[in-house]
Amino acid sequence: MEIIRKTLARVLNTRKYYTSYYRNAIYKYTDFNSYFELFSNIASQTNVTIAKKEIAFLEDIPMGSSFNTVKNRIYGSFRIVRELKHITMLLSEIKLYDFKFTLEMHFFRDKLVFFKYVFKNKEQKDLLIDLVLKKYFNKEKEDRCNSLYATDTNNNYIHLEDEVHLSISYLTLNFGFFEYLTDLKEEEEMLIMTRNKTAVEELFNKL
């Protein structure tokens, strides 16, 4: 444990890991609503392709793998950020031959529930899309749209989104994370309702 703590402290204290993308990602996920919107959007999709193979981080690292299991398979600079209760986010910049991309990994109670690749090189975009279509989707490049969804038999999902940058999101509805987010959302809405009711009552008494 002491070795792990020292390693985390060294990484967290190294300023070079603060890229603009990291800052934006950290800001985005400081509130659980970003997760809730993502997972509820996936859960509500009706036009979803059945994936050609299991959706996983790697063939031998499925969704739900532990933080250390996943981290030890990453070959690149990384920064660990903890912002929300029960959630750990690991950000990494990876270069694989001529391909450079950012990887987000999100763990709920030490289980991988969501990870995302972001590719900024526009010249490589078509090749990357073709690779994803070939691996997971029963589609050709000619009939693809800008946003595609696929799911496997284990309730895991992949979402390919071709906008300013190409992003590929992988997530699972297993391991209780979506239920946890739903409970937080309900608590937030109940709190807002209570505050609004109190405000109306106070206003009524003052009029």
Side-chain angles (χ1 to χ4, degrees):
M1 289 298 295
E2 184 63 27
I3 294 176
I4 294 175
R5 283 194 291 268
K6 288 182 179 179
T7 301
L8 297 185
R10 175 176 54 80
V11 173
L12 289 171
N13 292 326
T14 304
R15 295 184 60 85
K16 69 177 182 179
Y17 293 108
Y18 269 111
T19 67
S20 59
Y21 181 86
Y22 283 6
R23 285 193 295 269
N24 292 336
I26 293 169
Y27 177 79
K28 177 180 180 180
Y29 296 111
T30 52
D31 189 287
F32 78 90
N33 279 293
S34 295
Y35 290 108
F36 179 77
E37 291 175 5
L38 171 67
F39 276 72
S40 59
N41 175 59
I42 291 291
S44 65
Q45 291 298 319
T46 56
N47 186 21
V48 181
T49 299
I50 301 300
K52 296 170 65 176
K53 62 176 300 178
E54 181 181 356
I55 296 169
F57 184 73
L58 292 171
E59 290 187 358
D60 58 339
I61 302 183
M63 301 297 287
S65 295
S66 70
F67 176 87
N68 283 333
T69 297
V70 176
K71 181 175 72 67
N72 290 337
R73 294 293 296 273
I74 298 170
Y75 304 99
S77 62
F78 59 86
R79 174 164 177 79
I80 301 167
V81 181
R82 287 183 174 88
E83 292 292 346
L84 297 176
K85 185 178 181 180
H86 302 309
I87 302 172
T88 301
M89 179 168 61
L90 175 62
L91 301 171
S92 179
E93 288 186 339
I94 298 174
K95 185 175 183 181
L96 182 63
Y97 299 103
D98 292 331
F99 297 94
K100 186 177 181 180
F101 53 93
T102 304
L103 171 61
E104 300 177 8
M105 290 146 286
H106 303 257
F107 300 81
F108 172 65
R109 292 174 175 159
D110 199 38
K111 295 184 182 296
L112 179 65
V113 293
F114 164 47
F115 65 98
K116 178 180 180 181
Y117 295 108
V118 178
F119 299 89
K120 299 180 180 181
N121 190 327
K122 295 180 180 179
E123 295 179 357
Q124 298 173 340
K125 183 181 293 186
D126 285 341
L127 173 60
L128 293 166
I129 292 174
D130 287 345
L131 291 175
V132 174
L133 293 179
K134 181 179 180 180
K135 184 174 182 178
Y136 293 105
F137 294 84
N138 292 310
K139 290 180 178 290
E140 300 294 336
K141 185 173 72 172
E142 288 73 18
D143 65 353
R144 71 175 174 85
C145 57
N146 289 337
S147 186
L148 295 172
Y149 299 85
T151 184
D152 62 16
T153 57
N154 295 319
N155 219 20
N156 304 316
Y157 288 79
I158 180 172
H159 177 207
L160 187 152
E161 192 169 22
D162 180 13
E163 293 187 337
V164 177
H165 302 306
L166 174 65
S167 65
I168 309 169
S169 299
Y170 306 74
L171 59 87
T172 181
L173 296 183
N174 301 321
F175 310 112
F177 188 43
F178 186 39
E179 291 79 4
Y180 171 74
L181 295 172
T182 301
D183 289 343
L184 288 178
K185 188 66 175 179
E186 291 176 353
E187 291 175 5
E188 180 185 65
E189 292 176 348
M190 183 63 67
L191 179 61
I192 293 174
M193 289 178 59
T194 301
R195 287 176 176 173
N196 289 341
K197 181 180 179 181
T198 300
V200 170
E201 291 175 348
E202 291 184 1
L203 180 60
F204 178 82
N205 292 330
K206 290 182 181 297
L207 292 177

